[in-house]
Amino acid sequence: MPNYILALDQGTTSSRAILFDRAGRITAAAQQEFPQLYPQPGWVEHDPEAIWQTQLEVARAVLAKQNLTAADIAAIGITNQRETTVVWERATGRPIFNAIVWQDRRTAGLCDRLKAEGFDKTIREKTGLVTDAYFSGTKVAWLLDNVPGARERAERGELAFGTIDSFLMWRLTGGRLHITDVSNASRTMLYDIHKNWWSTTMLKRLNIPQAILPQVVPSSMIYGETDPALFGGAIPLAGMAGDQQAATFGQACYMPGLAKNTYGTGCFMLMNTGGEAVESKNNLLTTIGWKLGESATQYALEGSVFIAGAVVQWLRDELKLITSAAESEPLARSAADAGGVYVVPAFVGLGAPYWDSYARGTIVGLTRGSGRAHIVRAALESIAYQTRDVLEAMRADSGLTLQTLRVDGGATGNDFLLQFQADILGVPVQRPAVTETTALGTAYLAGLATGFWSSLDEIARQWAIEKTFEPQMPADRRDSLYAGWKRAVERAKAWAE
Ligand code: ADP
């Protein structure tokens, strides 16, 4: 009887493998970084072979650490950096070019043209996305236009496109499966999230042949098994979802209105909207959450904030106000409040809900008495204010009231931040016992499909709170602080020319 689920978490900077037991606890983990390639300003690439090699090695390492064989693993689940695009040869499995990473801006010009045509409305309607180089569709178009012979070969059916989930699935099965799950498909800008099929309108406009596309499958089902040569025996492949959707699943946000926020470099908040794809009127993305086997597709609203934990790195590395991220907490606590100071970390513009590429960072409200502690505190507070901005947009779009916010990611180790977050939202903030929610989410997807876990109820019961932060701030104080933030944001907008 196999006792473990293996989660493969293929991220932007590293590949990780985490082994979970039946109680949803981490048994072992391994991680390897791989190179980031910057061939031109604004371009970001990965070598798909480096992605594959590191992912395979960490998977093998984690089994070796625990002296396990393929027979000990009930199933594998995959979760991945989203939108990153690979095109490979069907005959050999060889990529025709490096992977174009989600951060890559090379197709911004094409996106500007689509917007100028008014095609952005069609894109939002069909795919739920804003028209941006972030998503895969224009990256595929770029590859077909720029790699010699690619378009003809694609039309002849010789090439395969996939996001990282598809590419790993292809490699893990020795080329037997060319599939992607609904959550990853919903980030390609080629998928009709309402009809649940590839959008012919999008394919036609971006001139992408149907023959290149993977088959779209649920996020949880037995897809097949690994090539026995890889792990000394075949292992069922049974779960697949994009990283933020997997984290939402790992946080057991199974009911409409439940939301999680991940505080890493940036912040990604997703709110479950159930079977309804809620069209955003407040600049959020409408996205597919997951689909379990034959059950109905579940949707989410998503808000992305570009700079969150990264503002703490900036305090440490550029301003040198602190020597470690953790030091921000006692320093912030040493001041009774931010003394009227606001830091707006719009270093790369502002994401949701403002989407202002021309905003730039600013510090306002400085007086003769403002010190290091005030600035550090204001920087931490900016993470919480930005989260409230996204949450306000979600409330407005969904009409759902948030009962609690579930949090994860590196910056959630900061108790000051989470208490201030609860205060500024007026909503309790819950930090779970297992904060590796991305890997846990795909482990759950794979474990549900194989009967390792019996139901959503069973895994929802495993989700345990380590600490809850209850709002303590009086409402008038919360309102006046937040009003100050909104004024500070106005000062940051439309700054760069
Ligand atoms: P990512 O997955 O985006 O690399 P992580 O989830 O690993 O991010 O979180 C790392 C981020 O969290 C960094 O930006 C770091 O500055 C921030 N961080 C880590 N510890 C703390 C802390 N105690 N207080 C505030 N921010 C922190």
Side-chain angles (χ1 to χ4, degrees):
M1 184 69 171
N3 283 319
Y4 302 98
I5 299 280
L6 178 60
L8 305 182
D9 180 358
Q10 206 304 302
T12 308
T13 56
S14 72
S15 298
R16 281 137 44 87
I18 301 186
L19 207 55
F20 290 94
D21 67 12
R22 219 170 279 274
R25 284 182 308 232
I26 295 174
T27 306
Q31 175 165 4
Q32 262 191 51
E33 293 196 2
F34 57 86
Q36 307 291 310
L37 310 172
Y38 305 106
Q40 287 188 32
W43 291 28
V44 189
E45 297 177 4
H46 291 156
D47 175 359
E49 298 298 348
I51 287 182
W52 167 242
Q53 276 312 320
T54 53
Q55 193 61 71
L56 181 61
E57 281 168 26
V58 292
R60 286 175 171 161
V62 100
L63 296 184
K65 261 188 203 175
Q66 299 300 110
N67 272 319
L68 300 177
T69 67
D72 295 306
I73 308 302
I76 288 179
I78 297 172
T79 181
N80 55 292
Q81 53 166 317
R82 302 178 301 174
E83 297 100 9
T84 298
T85 301
V86 192
V87 173
W88 64 92
E89 293 177 347
R90 289 183 186 276
T92 64
R94 262 201 309 266
I96 63 163
F97 199 80
N98 277 336
I100 303 184
V101 178
W102 57 274
Q103 297 150 323
D104 189 290
R105 308 305 302 172
R106 81 185 63 186
T107 59
L110 173 53
C111 292
D112 289 342
R113 288 199 293 283
L114 294 170
K115 282 188 261 191
E117 287 168 23
F119 198 70
D120 54 333
K121 287 178 201 63
T122 309
I123 292 178
R124 181 176 277 288
E125 217 173 88
K126 295 197 179 291
T127 72
L129 304 175
V130 298
T131 301
D132 194 275
Y134 179 20
F135 305 105
S136 319
T138 57
K139 300 182 199 291
V140 187
W142 187 94
L143 287 170
L144 296 184
D145 285 337
N146 288 276
V147 178
R151 186 171 301 284
E152 296 70 39
R153 299 185 66 198
E155 271 155 12
R156 286 199 300 269
E158 294 170 20
L159 301 182
F161 148 70
T163 40
I164 297 300
D165 53 316
S166 301
F167 179 66
L168 291 179
M169 198 51 94
W170 177 281
R171 288 287 173 102
L172 286 166
T173 59
R176 276 193 298 276
L177 287 181
H178 184 212
I179 57 179
T180 189
D181 93 294
V182 289
S183 73
N184 277 294
S186 76
R187 315 296 292 193
T188 59
M189 217 166 87
L190 302 173
Y191 194 67
D192 188 320
I193 61 168
H194 308 285
K195 294 184 178 148
N196 267 295
W197 57 52
W198 295 113
S199 161
T200 38
T201 310
M202 287 306 309
L203 294 172
K204 216 180 267 164
R205 177 60 192 85
L206 292 176
N207 198 12
I208 294 171
Q210 192 93 36
I212 202 170
L213 301 171
Q215 183 194 345
V216 183
V217 295
S219 321
S220 174
M221 69 175 267
I222 301 175
Y223 310 113
E225 50 184 36
T226 58
D227 182 340
L230 295 173
F231 303 109
I235 304 173
L237 292 154
M240 212 173 7
D243 53 11
Q244 297 305 324
Q245 283 93 335
T248 310
F249 201 78
Q251 286 272 31
C253 294
Y254 305 139
M255 305 289 288
L258 287 178
K260 70 89 199 176
N261 196 22
T262 299
Y263 298 73
T265 308
C267 266
F268 292 90
M269 194 192 297
L270 272 79
M271 179 191 269
N272 184 331
T273 61
E276 193 194 348
V278 174
E279 193 183 327
S280 178
K281 301 204 162 37
N282 295 281
N283 283 321
L284 302 174
L285 307 176
T286 309
T287 202
I288 292 180
W290 51 79
K291 178 175 163 61
L292 307 179
E294 292 311 306
S295 66
T297 303
Q298 300 294 296
Y299 295 89
L301 279 168
E302 174 173 328
S304 340
V305 167
F306 299 142
I307 303 289
V311 74
V312 178
Q313 291 170 293
W314 175 75
L315 294 174
R316 185 193 61 196
D317 302 340
E318 310 305 325
L319 294 194
K320 306 203 190 300
L321 291 184
I322 50 176
T323 53
S324 69
E327 197 192 338
S328 65
E329 180 168 349
L331 200 55
R333 286 188 195 283
S334 74
D337 55 37
V341 176
Y342 288 90
V343 173
V344 185
F347 302 149
V348 292
L350 287 166
Y354 305 104
W355 298 102
D356 182 347
S357 330
Y358 303 102
R360 287 297 177 269
T362 188
I363 304 180
V364 297
L366 293 171
T367 64
R368 186 68 182 74
S370 307
R372 188 165 76 108
H374 296 110
I375 292 174
V376 168
R377 184 173 170 126
L380 287 176
E381 291 182 355
S382 76
I383 301 174
Y385 289 129
Q386 293 185 93
T387 296
R388 171 145 175 198
D389 288 340
V390 170
L391 202 82
E392 295 289 334
M394 283 191 175
R395 278 191 188 135
D397 275 344
S398 69
L400 296 168
T401 3
L402 192 78
Q403 304 300 328
T404 59
L405 181 66
R406 302 179 172 191
V407 301
D408 53 59
T412 57
N414 190 316
D415 285 16
F416 165 79
L417 170 62
L418 297 191
Q419 182 57 51
F420 189 76
Q421 184 69 83
D423 284 339
I424 224 61
L425 295 177
V427 164
V429 167
Q430 300 175 320
R431 184 170 59 200
V434 177
T435 52
E436 291 288 355
T437 54
T438 304
L440 181 60
T442 197
Y444 280 154
L445 289 168
L448 278 173
T450 48
F452 188 81
W453 288 296
S454 62
S455 65
L456 279 184
D457 279 349
E458 183 190 354
I459 57 181
R461 277 197 300 274
Q462 287 191 353
W463 183 83
I465 297 168
E466 180 260 322
K467 187 163 179 180
T468 300
F469 299 83
E470 296 286 348
Q472 287 163 357
M473 187 181 281
D476 55 343
R477 173 104 181 116
R478 167 188 312 140
D479 293 345
S480 78
L481 284 175
Y482 186 59
W485 164 256
K486 298 298 278 185
R487 288 172 61 216
V489 169
E490 289 307 313
R491 301 295 192 276
K493 281 182 180 171
W495 183 260
E497 308 199 78

